[in-house]
């Protein structure tokens, strides 16, 4: 890494202590002054300089206090100690699709896990939904994620209880790839009940977060985390969501970013499916399995199989033979002449079709008449 890159790394790592995720004012500052320039302004003498609209003296003072306390070298050492690293815009591992967020783009991302985030994000799908999900929702999320992982997709979610956890477990169980985007430091197990799951994700996949080591989650950070999930992936699938679900925020943000928005339908009587069913009435595409998701987000030619019911033996009959079979009355025999009249064709033609049907087991001979078998 060159001296300029090292300086950029330290500045952006420090700014993750200063700016909250999704801080558009901070993003505009970085765009105008650069990360290193902004950090110098915040830590240097209090000389007058132009601030973005909406940033008053109190907020600026808060930024300065945070900047004075930031110790990026220590944060980088803490991250490395837990197997982590820091990537930022312009570095080799940075997923450039996050740049679509504009001034709300992350300052950088803290990672745990060995895979390359940029490579993984190229074929990734978000699977999100309700925390208090039903057994149906958990089953659909797990099987959908397993199917996606088996098809070479990276399953991205937020490691929360419910649908998120089911999606991660489905991908892990199939030996596939999964990434968890957190609203806290990547070294923090949240929720605590998912400490084991997060350890498995870090060992087999990636744990991703905007916040530096040791940072705790807040309600606003969860909401802002969703924009990263939406921008990072090629599409978002919602599995169970009430009307006020945060997963709907993720899906609608994905749509605004030009990503695919999909939903798994649920019972019309379930409040937990009301939000996703409403989504399906408008902007989302209905999907029921991994093949249908890959048809949207995958490469050209990755089409879902044609959907149809079971093929019955009578479906394979020629049209004229099937018409003779349909003309046979139920429960009583009839003559070939009567069938010819009913079908509007010749008697010899009907007799030929009847013998064909007899050989296939559809009809039986009863004296001079014919009737349905069984």
């Amino acid at each position: 890494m060159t001296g300029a890159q090292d300086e950029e790394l330290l500045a952006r790592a420090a700014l993750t202590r200063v700016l909250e995720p999704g801080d558009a004012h901070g993003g505009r500052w970085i765009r105008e002054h650069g990360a290193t320039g902004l950090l110098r302004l915040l830590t240097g003498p209090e000389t007058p300089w132009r601030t973005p609209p909406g940033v008053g003296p109190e907020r600026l003072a808060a930024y300065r206090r945070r900047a004075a306390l930031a110790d990026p070298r220590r944060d980088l050492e803490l991250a490395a100690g837990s197997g982590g690293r820091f990537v930022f815009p312009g570095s080799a591992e940075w997923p450039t699709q996050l740049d679509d967020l504009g001034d709300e783009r992350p300052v950088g991302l803290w990672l745990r896990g060995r895979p390359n985030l940029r490579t993984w994000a190229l074929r990734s799908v978000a699977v999100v939904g309700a925390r208090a999900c039903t057994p149906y929702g958990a089953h659909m999320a797990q099987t959908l994620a397993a199917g996606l992982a088996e098809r070479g997709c990276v399953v991205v979610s937020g490691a929360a209880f419910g649908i998120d956890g089911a999606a991660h477990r489905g991908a892990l169980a199939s030996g596939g790839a999964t990434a968890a985007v957190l609203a806290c430091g990547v070294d923090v197990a949240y929720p605590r009940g998912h400490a084991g799951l997060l350890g498995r994700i870090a060992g087999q996949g990636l744990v991703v977060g905007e916040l530096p080591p040791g940072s705790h989650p807040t309600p606003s950070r969860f909401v802002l985390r969703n924009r990263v999930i939406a921008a990072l992936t090629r599409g978002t699938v919602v599995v169970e969501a009430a009307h006020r679900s945060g997963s709907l925020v993720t899906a609608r943000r994905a749509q605004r970013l030009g990503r695919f928005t999909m939903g798994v339908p649920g019972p019309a009587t379930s409040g937990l499916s009301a939000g996703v069913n409403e989504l399906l009435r408008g902007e989302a595409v209905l999907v029921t399995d991994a093949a249908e998701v890959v048809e949207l987000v995958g490469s050209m030619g990755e089409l879902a199989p044609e959907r149809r019911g079971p093929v019955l033996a009578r479906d394979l009959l020629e049209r004229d033979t099937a018409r003779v079979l349909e003309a046979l009355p139920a429960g009583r025999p009839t003559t070939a002449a009567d069938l010819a009249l009913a079908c509007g064709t010749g008697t010899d033609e009907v007799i030929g079709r009847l013998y064909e049907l007899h050989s296939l087991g559809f009809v039986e001979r009863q004296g001079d008449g014919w009737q349905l078998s069984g």
Side-chain angles (χ1 to χ4, degrees), residues 189-201:
Y190 189 90
R192 292 187 182 276
H194 275 176
L197 176 61
L198 285 165
R200 291 172 59 202
I201 295 171

Side-chain angles (χ1 to χ4, degrees), residues 252 255 261-263 274-286:
R252 288 177 174 133
Q255 187 196 33
T261 305
M262 297 156 278
V276 66
N277 289 345
E278 182 68 22
L279 196 69
L280 289 169
R281 291 188 64 205
E283 57 265 43
V285 177
L286 188 151

Side-chain angles (χ1 to χ4, degrees), residues 164-178:
D164 288 16
H168 290 305
R169 290 188 185 95
L172 291 169
S174 67
T178 188

Side-chain angles (χ1 to χ4, degrees), residues 3-269:
Q5 287 176 316
D6 187 60
E7 189 178 3
E8 182 79 2
L9 168 68
L10 291 171
R12 285 186 174 271
L15 288 171
T16 63
R17 287 277 178 198
V18 178
L19 305 173
E20 281 293 309
D23 186 336
H25 298 304
R28 178 175 172 181
W29 268 343
I30 293 173
R31 176 164 51 83
E32 293 176 350
H33 302 287
T36 55
L38 174 58
L39 190 61
R40 280 196 294 267
L41 288 169
L42 291 175
T43 55
E46 293 192 28
T47 54
W49 52 289
R50 186 167 60 88
T51 60
V55 178
E58 291 184 1
R59 189 167 184 176
L60 179 58
Y63 285 145
R64 284 186 171 278
R65 286 194 296 271
R66 287 186 172 191
L69 295 172
D71 187 351
R73 294 187 187 277
R74 180 175 177 274
D75 283 336
L76 290 166
E77 289 173 3
L78 286 172
S82 61
R85 61 191 182 279
F86 182 69
V87 300
F88 56 92
S91 63
E93 199 177 345
W94 181 255
T96 54
Q97 58 265 51
L98 290 176
D99 299 343
D100 293 346
L101 292 169
D103 288 340
E104 293 184 13
R105 178 182 68 175
V107 175
L109 291 172
W110 299 87
L111 309 177
R112 278 179 65 204
R114 287 176 293 179
N116 184 289
L117 178 62
R118 182 188 179 107
T119 303
W120 268 29
L122 293 175
R123 189 177 170 90
S124 60
V125 179
V127 180
V128 297
R131 285 177 170 81
C133 67
T134 66
Y136 161 78
H139 169 74
M140 290 302 300
Q142 189 159 345
T143 55
L144 183 68
L148 288 168
E150 289 167 0
R151 287 165 172 79
C153 292
V154 178
V155 176
V156 178
S157 199
F161 290 130
I163 296 300
D164 288 16
H168 290 305
R169 290 188 185 95
L172 291 169
S174 67
T178 188
V181 182
L182 306 185
C184 55
V186 295
D187 59 336
V188 176
Y190 189 90
R192 292 187 182 276
H194 275 176
L197 176 61
L198 285 165
R200 291 172 59 202
I201 295 171
Q204 188 171 318
L206 280 171
V207 179
V208 183
E210 294 179 76
L211 294 158
S215 299
H216 65 278
T218 63
S220 63
R221 287 172 174 176
F222 281 114
V223 174
L224 291 163
R225 177 271 309 273
N226 294 342
R227 83 194 195 289
V228 177
I229 294 176
L232 187 65
T233 53
R234 291 180 57 82
T236 294
V237 184
V238 183
V239 183
E240 282 196 327
H243 280 302
R244 291 175 57 84
S245 173
S247 56
L248 298 180
V249 175
T250 307
R252 288 177 174 133
R253 187 60 180 268
Q255 187 196 33
R256 291 198 299 273
L257 289 167
R259 313 298 195 258
F260 292 102
T261 305
M262 297 156 278
V264 175
T269 54

